[in-house]
Amino acid sequence: MSDTPKKLSTDAYKGVRDFFPVDMAVQRHIFNIWETTSKKYGYEEYGASVLEPADLYRAKTGEEIINEQTYSFIDRGDREVTLRPEMTPTLARMVAARKRELTFPLRWYSIPNLFRYEQPQRGRVREHWQLNVDIFGVESLAAEIEVISMAYDITRAYGLKDTDFEIRLNSRRLMHYVTADVFNLDEHQSHTISKLIDKKDKVKADWFEAAAMEILGDNTPKFLTLLNSKNFEEFTTNLPQTAEEHKGLSEVRQVIAGLEKLGITNTRFDQTLMRGFDYYTGIVFEVFDLNPANRRAVLGGGRYDDLLSLFGNEKVTAVGFGAGDVTARDLMETYNALPAAPSSADIMICVVGEHNIPYALDVAQKIREKGQRIAVDLSIKKLGDQISHANKRGIPKIIVIGDEEVSTGKLKTKDLKTGEEQELIG
Ligand code: HAM
């Protein structure tokens, strides 16, 4: 005798979300903000598969993501496959593949779903959607200024005021100068210390100091003073004073000044902002909500001038950022900026008498041809129930079809809020 099979759980897989219509409406609203802003700046949409060869991420994505956060498997043809944890390597691959045919500068955007095996918590899930905005082929800081101004517009469109958030900036070039030239570290040590700085806010101060000591020895106090500088000016004065300003310092200064010219003043230099990926080469930035309810970056990105060299010898400069849907939604909740649920139709036809349904379907079809969104209530419930159903769905108008309407052919729309009736012509 076989046991009754165990019933399946209705839960979604751990860390991923189902999108019921109310959630989908919010998601659509977020995507609309992303698409409108990208198009406003002249960006073209692209897309790709979620499946990529695992090798794509080995060189530059960063150890944490590769070793701990990817969903990887071996396919039936013995290939190692990864569900994309980010879009940047895919984008670099695509641009490298068509480099000769493409006209630069390229301005591209995409809204992919990405998979990361993370511990699910507020702001972090295992599948999220991420706007990716990237510009290729512009060497000047005008590229950084453009994409950061897009990031600013997007954050404002989520419903935040300038005083609610901060655009934090740093320069990988500057930090490399600090580790390699000021503290004389070799490439390996520089890499280790930059990963350590990336962790600074997540670990205890004495653990951080001990780890820094292992690499920097006697220089640790000097390094900590620099890292704890209160602002850009203090950081600059803590560096060796040379006749000429280091390029890394001047690029931070120029980007902040360029944004100020566009009226964007909520920027802040942050020497502890490293960003996890190994491919960044210049300015890196993140948008931070200042509300303690959302302690995650709203979005983040930077310049990556060498990523395309993974695919060939030619270099193409690039700057971009990624903005996630989860943080966007959390922000909108915090700031009461969630969109009102949209109605599913402009008009509901309420049908009295099952035999009148074919007539109602025909009327609906004719009205749809004129571009209105119209649904027919097929429940054959009492008229009052049908009207309250339309009301619940936020449908603003109804048309009642019963024997009289069918015999006279005279139809009226009724506004459920005002009670106003209007004859339907044609
Ligand atoms: P990222 O900082 O890893 O950058 O991700 C960008 C944004 O995606 C984050 O600020 C956050 O809003 C969201 N995000 C990331 N991981 C998760 C997660 N597990 N759950 C929810 N949201 C998440 C990148 O991915 C770079 N590839 C961005 C980029 C584009 N850089 C240059 N171009």
Side-chain angles (χ1 to χ4, degrees):
M1 275 223 335
S2 69
D3 291 337
T4 327
K6 202 173 152 243
K7 299 289 183 215
L8 293 174
S9 163
T10 55
D11 293 345
Y13 167 72
K14 185 174 175 184
V16 309
R17 294 160 293 162
D18 291 326
F19 290 86
F20 287 89
V22 282
D23 309 306
M24 212 56 225
V26 176
Q27 189 78 340
R28 227 338 86 221
H29 177 71
I30 295 169
F31 285 12
N32 279 343
I33 291 175
W34 291 347
E35 278 165 5
T36 314
T37 312
S38 305
K39 288 186 175 143
K40 232 194 246 173
Y41 281 76
Y43 282 63
E44 296 174 282
E45 190 172 14
Y46 69 95
S49 165
V50 298
L51 301 175
E52 284 284 8
D55 274 347
L56 183 64
Y57 305 103
R58 291 228 162 82
K60 295 264 181 182
T61 285
E63 289 150 32
E64 192 192 4
I65 287 213
I66 289 304
N67 297 340
E68 296 159 29
Q69 295 184 348
T70 51
Y71 277 90
S72 293
F73 63 95
I74 307 288
D75 74 7
R76 288 167 208 273
D78 235 10
R79 297 171 204 91
E80 203 182 336
V81 184
T82 295
L83 297 189
R84 61 185 175 202
E86 56 152 342
M87 197 61 168
T88 314
T90 300
L91 173 61
R93 181 177 63 65
M94 288 171 65
V95 174
R98 296 274 170 94
K99 194 179 166 285
R100 297 242 152 81
E101 297 112 88
L102 294 167
T103 314
F104 293 89
L106 276 189
R107 289 185 165 93
W108 281 10
Y109 82 94
S110 190
I111 305 180
N113 53 339
L114 308 176
F115 300 85
R116 295 185 191 178
Y117 193 82
E118 300 207 56
Q119 204 42 49
Q121 53 192 286
R122 181 169 167 85
R124 278 285 173 273
V125 291
R126 290 183 172 173
E127 181 193 24
H128 76 282
W129 274 257
Q130 191 188 83
L131 167 70
N132 276 251
V133 153
D134 292 270
I135 179 164
F136 286 82
V138 178
E139 283 191 24
S140 82
L141 295 167
E144 277 86 343
I145 294 168
E146 174 170 306
V147 299
I148 296 174
S149 118
M150 291 172 80
Y152 170 86
D153 286 1
I154 286 169
T155 314
R156 289 296 307 251
Y158 290 159
L160 276 72
K161 300 188 296 300
D162 279 19
T163 45
D164 295 327
F165 69 100
E166 205 166 64
I167 303 166
R168 298 187 186 163
L169 293 151
N170 194 7
S171 158
R172 278 282 179 91
R173 200 189 313 275
L174 173 60
M175 296 315 278
H176 189 261
Y177 159 72
V178 167
T179 56
D181 297 356
V182 180
F183 289 98
N184 290 316
L185 302 181
D186 63 26
E187 277 309 305
H188 178 70
Q189 291 169 318
S190 283
H191 188 257
T192 316
I193 204 90
S194 63
K195 292 284 164 192
L196 186 64
I197 300 174
D198 196 33
K199 282 203 198 111
K200 188 170 182 290
D201 288 343
K202 295 174 208 138
V203 298
K204 292 224 166 76
D206 46 356
W207 185 93
F208 182 84
E209 199 175 324
M213 194 75 138
E214 273 179 35
I215 305 163
L216 288 152
D218 292 348
N219 273 330
T220 307
K222 197 173 144 201
F223 171 76
L224 291 179
T225 308
L226 186 64
L227 213 58
N228 292 327
S229 306
K230 280 196 244 9
N231 51 40
F232 189 59
E233 284 62 42
E234 194 177 308
F235 181 85
T236 316
T237 1
N238 282 332
L239 284 175
Q241 302 303 307
T242 52
E244 225 177 292
E245 188 175 60
H246 185 263
K247 195 174 171 201
L249 278 176
S250 95
E251 65 183 7
V252 170
R253 224 185 267 289
Q254 284 178 59
V255 171
I256 291 179
L259 288 167
E260 207 173 309
K261 278 216 177 78
L262 300 177
I264 301 170
T265 53
N266 51 346
T267 48
R268 185 163 78 79
F269 169 67
D270 178 357
Q271 64 277 17
T272 65
L273 179 79
M274 294 305 290
R275 303 219 7 95
F277 304 102
D278 290 343
Y279 48 68
Y280 292 120
T281 53
I283 290 284
V284 285
F285 63 92
E286 282 184 350
V287 165
F288 272 90
D289 176 19
L290 298 173
N291 192 309
N294 306 307
R295 291 182 43 249
R296 304 244 165 228
V298 178
L299 55 83
R303 177 173 284 273
Y304 51 104
D305 283 347
D306 296 331
L307 193 56
L308 263 71
S309 61
L310 287 179
F311 307 94
N313 292 327
E314 289 151 295
K315 200 173 148 162
V316 183
T317 60
V319 187
F321 69 85
D325 65 326
V326 184
T327 23
R329 190 186 168 127
D330 287 347
L331 284 192
M332 288 178 175
E333 266 165 14
T334 308
Y335 291 93
N336 281 326
L338 282 177
S343 69
S344 53
D346 303 316
I347 304 171
M348 174 72 94
I349 297 187
C350 304
V351 191
V352 185
E354 194 170 3
H355 55 283
N356 289 324
I357 284 182
Y359 183 88
L361 292 179
D362 188 45
V363 169
Q365 205 56 14
K366 292 202 171 101
I367 298 176
R368 280 186 200 116
E369 277 163 17
K370 290 184 189 151
Q372 298 242 62
R373 297 176 308 146
I374 184 155
V376 181
D377 192 322
L378 302 171
S379 68
I380 340 168
K381 285 191 179 152
K382 281 193 214 130
L383 183 58
D385 291 343
Q386 294 191 39
I387 293 174
S388 84
H389 179 79
N391 249 329
K392 260 193 208 144
R393 296 198 159 264
I395 297 174
K397 288 179 182 169
I398 56 160
I399 295 173
V400 178
I401 293 185
D403 292 342
E404 195 189 320
E405 284 79 12
V406 173
S407 67
T408 61
K410 279 200 175 143
L411 301 178
K412 281 182 289 192
T413 59
K414 181 174 180 171
D415 188 308
L416 288 178
K417 251 208 194 105
T418 62
E420 197 185 316
E421 293 189 329
Q422 224 171 20
E423 206 159 313
L424 208 68
I425 304 160

